Amino acid sequence: MSKDKKKKTIAILRGGKHDYHRSMKSGANVMLSLSKYPEETNVIDVVIDEKGNWFEKGIPSDVHRVFSKADYYVDFTHDVKGDHHNLGSKLDVKQVFKNDFVNILSRVNIKRILNQIGLNTSRYVVFRDDKNLENSLKEIWGKFQTPIIVKDGKHIANKKSLLTYSFLDTYKRIKEILKSGSEAILEEHVDGKYISLSVIPNYRGEDLYIPTPIETINAENKIRSVQGKEIKDKYLPEHSHNKISLFHLDDDTKKRLKYLAKEIHKGLALDYHVLIDICLVKNKKGTEIKILELHTNPHLSEESRFSFILENSGVDMGRFVLDNIEKLEEENLSY
């Protein structure tokens, strides 16, 4: 079947076994945005079930059938080692957001690299096995103020981090993570302004384009009782979507974030967009910037922070995909 030369045929791969529901929502959002550009695109909606079966409009299909029609594909399945990538290369069907390298890095490795290049992350301890776990945790517990955050070492979107004041809950969660074959991260909770910023390389005429960041705010202000004391509930950026607003930076903070973004991209050898969660902590010396999380594959659903940032910079998701396709075409012409 010959490819339509006037339009770009884009296969949207969604579903899969890694994070089915988030993948479906991200893919749906991109397809809806691309529908605004019917003169430029043909879109193939491909749903992959959790067993790996491919479907087009509910009809069984396969990777050969899809890639024989597509010029490009956007993969929301997070299956970085899937065989379809090899077939795509053979058939010259290009992946729009290709980030295989850093997807295989764990949270631990990312934190280690960031610390090696001199960037400030929240304090953390890594558990790799449960030998003498209870005694080790008791020793560490006194060094970290509560609440404490427990994270899976792998970026698993449907397994959110736990924020807890309880030793027993912390112990149980670490045991669960280790049992699943991952490393467990015990991390300090940082108080301050929670800011998310996106960094897009070679975009809008800039080497690194940083749109206006957003602040995530815990609008509910719940009160909980801890050891008989009533305290204002803490929260994590990944849990907090009840209020998001644009955050306008002063010139000094803009410069510092630009430097931080450059160091992250250089240190991790990135050449695509990322979402960075930071905390601005005020102290006697001024404002300290702590890196909380680095999302090398930010999801693109309608309610995601990355989508919110992009929309408020005047770019819809469909246009963003097409802009990235244009980048790929320019790269091919330069060879």
Side-chain angles (χ1 to χ4, degrees):
M1 189 174 189
S2 63
K3 295 176 182 176
D4 190 335
K5 294 181 180 179
K6 294 181 181 179
K7 294 184 178 182
K8 299 173 179 66
T9 300
I10 307 167
I12 305 296
L13 313 184
R14 56 193 185 120
K17 61 182 178 180
H18 293 290
D19 190 4
Y20 186 87
H21 295 291
R22 189 181 82 160
S23 175
M24 291 293 287
K25 289 171 71 175
S26 293
N29 186 40
V30 169
M31 285 191 296
L32 180 63
S33 296
L34 285 171
S35 69
K36 300 173 187 176
Y37 306 95
E39 71 287 350
E40 296 182 54
T41 62
N42 290 316
V43 176
I44 307 172
D45 179 16
V46 180
V47 174
I48 302 170
D49 68 18
E50 292 172 296
K51 294 180 180 179
N53 300 307
W54 289 45
F55 297 88
E56 292 181 60
K57 297 180 180 178
I59 300 171
S61 185
D62 57 62
V63 59
H64 293 84
R65 190 174 302 176
V66 172
F67 281 6
S68 68
K69 297 179 283 188
D71 304 303
Y72 299 91
Y73 70 101
V74 184
D75 189 355
F76 291 106
T77 68
H78 311 297
D79 186 3
V80 296
K81 296 180 181 179
D83 293 336
H84 59 283
H85 297 301
N86 292 329
L87 183 62
S89 296
K90 289 177 182 177
L91 297 178
D92 198 29
V93 182
K94 295 176 177 59
Q95 187 176 359
V96 179
F97 302 123
K98 188 175 182 181
N99 48 12
D100 296 1
F101 164 68
V102 81
N103 262 334
I104 62 174
L105 287 179
S106 67
R107 279 180 163 130
V108 176
N109 284 330
I110 289 174
K111 282 180 174 290
R112 177 178 53 79
I113 293 170
L114 293 179
N115 285 327
Q116 283 176 349
I117 61 179
L119 297 180
N120 192 11
T121 66
S122 46
R123 288 191 306 152
Y124 68 97
V125 176
V126 181
F127 292 89
R128 294 185 170 88
D129 58 59
D130 60 0
K131 292 177 184 177
N132 204 28
L133 174 60
E134 186 174 352
N135 289 334
S136 298
L137 184 57
K138 282 179 179 176
E139 183 180 344
I140 294 164
W141 189 261
K143 297 177 182 178
F144 281 68
Q145 291 184 341
T146 56
I148 284 177
I149 303 166
V150 188
K151 294 181 176 180
D152 194 307
K154 296 177 182 176
H155 280 281
I156 302 175
N158 57 356
K159 292 186 177 179
K160 287 188 173 182
S161 305
L162 172 71
L163 188 145
T164 178
Y165 295 83
S166 164
F167 181 91
L168 183 59
D169 288 345
T170 303
Y171 176 80
K172 287 179 178 178
R173 182 66 186 121
I174 291 174
K175 288 278 284 186
E176 288 172 4
I177 293 170
L178 295 175
K179 190 175 180 180
S180 73
S182 292
E183 298 171 318
I185 300 174
L186 191 69
E187 187 175 285
E188 69 171 338
H189 180 271
V190 182
D191 272 323
K193 284 188 178 293
Y194 285 84
I195 308 299
S196 295
L197 61 146
S198 61
V199 183
I200 308 170
N202 303 314
Y203 200 62
R204 290 191 164 183
E206 296 187 39
D207 292 339
L208 285 179
Y209 174 61
I210 304 178
T212 303
I214 58 171
E215 180 182 4
T216 56
I217 303 165
N218 184 10
E220 294 180 2
N221 293 327
K222 291 180 180 178
I223 303 295
R224 71 159 73 188
S225 177
V226 178
Q227 298 177 347
K229 295 180 181 179
E230 286 194 345
I231 61 170
K232 192 177 184 179
D233 202 2
K234 305 286 185 178
Y235 72 104
L236 292 170
E238 66 184 270
H239 295 165
S240 177
H241 290 282
N242 47 27
K243 188 175 180 183
I244 298 176
S245 63
L246 293 176
F247 187 76
H248 298 284
L249 303 168
D250 58 77
D251 289 340
D252 177 61
T253 307
K254 282 180 183 178
K255 288 178 182 177
R256 293 172 68 189
L257 290 182
K258 189 82 172 179
Y259 171 80
L260 179 146
K262 285 181 178 179
E263 291 300 298
I264 287 175
H265 265 256
K266 184 171 65 176
L268 292 171
L270 303 176
D271 59 359
Y272 46 84
H273 62 279
V274 295
L275 184 75
I276 307 171
D277 291 329
I278 64 169
C279 189
L280 301 179
V281 183
K282 287 192 175 182
N283 53 38
K284 293 178 181 178
K285 296 181 180 179
T287 300
E288 182 182 13
I289 298 175
K290 285 201 173 188
I291 303 170
L292 305 177
E293 196 74 79
L294 179 66
H295 305 273
T296 58
N297 196 4
H299 70 101
L300 307 181
S301 61
E302 188 178 8
E303 70 272 15
S304 73
R305 282 169 286 169
F306 187 85
S307 295
F308 185 90
I309 291 171
L310 207 62
E311 181 182 347
N312 281 281
S313 69
V315 181
D316 66 66
M317 192 58 68
R319 187 73 263 162
F320 183 63
V321 171
L322 291 172
D323 287 345
N324 277 273
I325 287 175
E326 286 179 13
K327 277 195 222 177
L328 289 174
E329 292 175 341
E330 288 172 5
E331 288 171 8
N332 289 336
L333 289 172
S334 65
Y335 291 125

